[in-house]
Amino acid sequence: FKQIDYAFLDGFKRKLVKDGVKPNTIGNYLRSIRAIYNKAIKFKIVDRSFYPFTEIQIRTDKTAKRGVTKQDIVNLSKLDLKPNSRQWHARNYFLLSFSLRGMSFTDMAYLKPDNISKDILTYRRRKTHKNYTIKLLPIAKSIFTQYGTRNLKYLLPVLPITIQEDSLEAKKLISQWIKTSNKWLKKIGETSKIEQPLTTYVARHTWATTAKRLGYSNELIAEAMGHEYGNRITNIYLDSFEQSVIDEVNQKVTEHLKIK
């Protein structure tokens, strides 16, 4: 850890810039190193006096909007795709994420039958460890039904039954599925003349932007997606929205979606 000093980090930044790495990606790398270094300080592996990040500026550029229009999503749901084709799977996962308030691909991959009870899906997000409750709407139920019981452990055929959850092997497999899905989503989007390139993450952005265009507040959208909005201290004193209100937002956002 003592070798990770200002000169090392500055040289690392310059090398990444020279290689054409985007500012936000560089920022992610540096924040990851910083998080590991902070943990090392807490575990007394290195003294705080060696902390090298005081003079390192971690830049973040505002990312371009990734959302597509609601009509784009409706058109996507109406595509007549060959069952079990790669395009079919990619489209299904995109629409499922959208109908589950932008659920991540990783969290969808780990969903099991016991996550659902009486049309209510509950799960714990792996990234934040927050618990979520979502009322299943017809589009989500239709997609889960299409996959049937081909995999008795997971609801979607992404991970094999024997996989060790959260292992390196599982992460690599999910990463490959995301990469493949994004490849076919891009082709589907081009065929459907959708201007914004489609990826699995676009579903999350689109859910939020669709809710915003329908007139819902930033606070309500943030809570539906598990985000803090505004001042974190202030939020402690605010009542949470009723689950029924969040379910109503999702119902309005996913209205008119009916998968073929």
Side-chain angles (χ1 to χ4, degrees):
F1 282 96
K2 292 177 183 177
Q3 292 176 335
I4 303 176
D5 55 13
Y6 175 83
F8 173 86
L9 293 171
D10 187 60
F12 182 50
K13 276 183 66 177
R14 291 175 184 273
K15 174 67 165 60
L16 293 173
V17 171
K18 185 179 178 182
D19 290 346
V21 179
K22 294 180 179 180
N24 286 359
T25 302
I26 295 174
N28 287 336
Y29 290 158
L30 291 172
R31 278 188 287 272
S32 296
I33 297 172
R34 185 175 63 187
I36 294 168
Y37 207 103
N38 285 333
K39 186 167 285 189
I41 291 174
K42 288 182 179 179
F43 279 91
K44 311 298 183 185
I45 295 172
V46 62
D47 190 79
R48 188 175 295 277
S49 62
F50 290 99
Y51 189 72
F53 287 91
T54 307
E55 303 298 327
I56 290 290
Q57 183 180 11
I58 301 179
R59 176 184 162 195
T60 301
D61 286 348
K62 189 174 182 180
T63 55
K65 298 293 184 182
R66 298 189 193 180
V68 296
T69 68
K70 174 64 179 294
Q71 189 57 50
D72 288 332
I73 303 297
V74 172
N75 293 342
L76 198 64
S77 71
K78 292 179 178 178
L79 289 178
D80 190 10
L81 301 174
K82 183 180 178 182
N84 291 312
S85 65
R86 292 180 179 180
Q87 296 98 317
W88 183 82
H89 284 296
R91 190 270 306 272
N92 280 3
Y93 296 151
F94 183 95
L95 291 177
L96 185 61
S97 172
F98 182 76
S99 68
L100 297 176
R101 306 200 313 249
M103 185 187 290
S104 75
F105 194 99
T106 296
D107 288 323
M108 290 196 305
Y110 280 112
L111 288 177
K112 299 175 182 177
D114 59 10
N115 286 113
I116 299 175
S117 177
K118 297 180 180 179
D119 290 342
I120 300 295
L121 185 148
T122 57
Y123 77 103
R124 186 179 180 87
R125 193 177 180 200
R126 275 172 153 73
K127 183 177 180 180
T128 62
H129 306 295
K130 288 184 178 180
N131 293 316
Y132 291 78
T133 299
I134 303 175
K135 181 180 179 180
L136 289 182
L137 298 172
I139 181 70
K141 289 192 283 186
S142 176
I143 292 172
F144 282 133
T145 299
Q146 286 185 3
Y147 286 106
T149 57
R150 66 179 73 190
N151 185 327
L152 296 177
K153 186 174 182 180
Y154 300 107
L155 290 171
L156 300 176
V158 174
L159 296 170
I161 297 174
T162 55
I163 199 81
Q164 181 183 340
E165 295 194 359
D166 298 310
S167 64
L168 185 59
E169 181 188 1
K171 290 176 181 178
K172 284 182 177 179
L173 193 55
I174 290 172
S175 178
Q176 185 57 51
W177 268 92
I178 292 172
K179 185 177 179 181
T180 302
S181 295
N182 286 343
K183 172 186 172 182
W184 291 105
L185 283 172
K186 183 180 178 182
K187 291 186 177 182
I188 293 170
E190 290 171 350
T191 303
S192 304
K193 295 182 169 49
I194 298 174
E195 293 184 9
Q196 173 71 38
L198 289 181
T199 68
T200 54
Y201 197 68
V202 167
R204 186 171 177 82
H205 275 261
T206 304
W207 192 94
T209 54
T210 301
K212 184 67 176 175
R213 287 167 185 158
L214 288 171
Y216 292 105
S217 68
N218 291 343
E219 293 89 345
L220 182 50
I221 295 169
E223 183 162 337
M225 305 190 79
H227 291 166
E228 294 281 354
Y229 180 77
N231 187 290
R232 190 175 292 180
I233 301 301
T234 304
N235 281 337
I236 294 173
Y237 302 99
L238 296 177
D239 290 332
S240 295
F241 291 98
E242 292 282 346
Q243 183 63 41
S244 60
V245 176
I246 296 176
D247 289 337
E248 180 191 330
V249 177
N250 196 32
Q251 193 274 328
K252 290 290 185 183
V253 169
T254 59
E255 224 169 21
H256 308 305
L257 290 184
K258 188 176 181 181
I259 198 166
K260 292 193 74 172

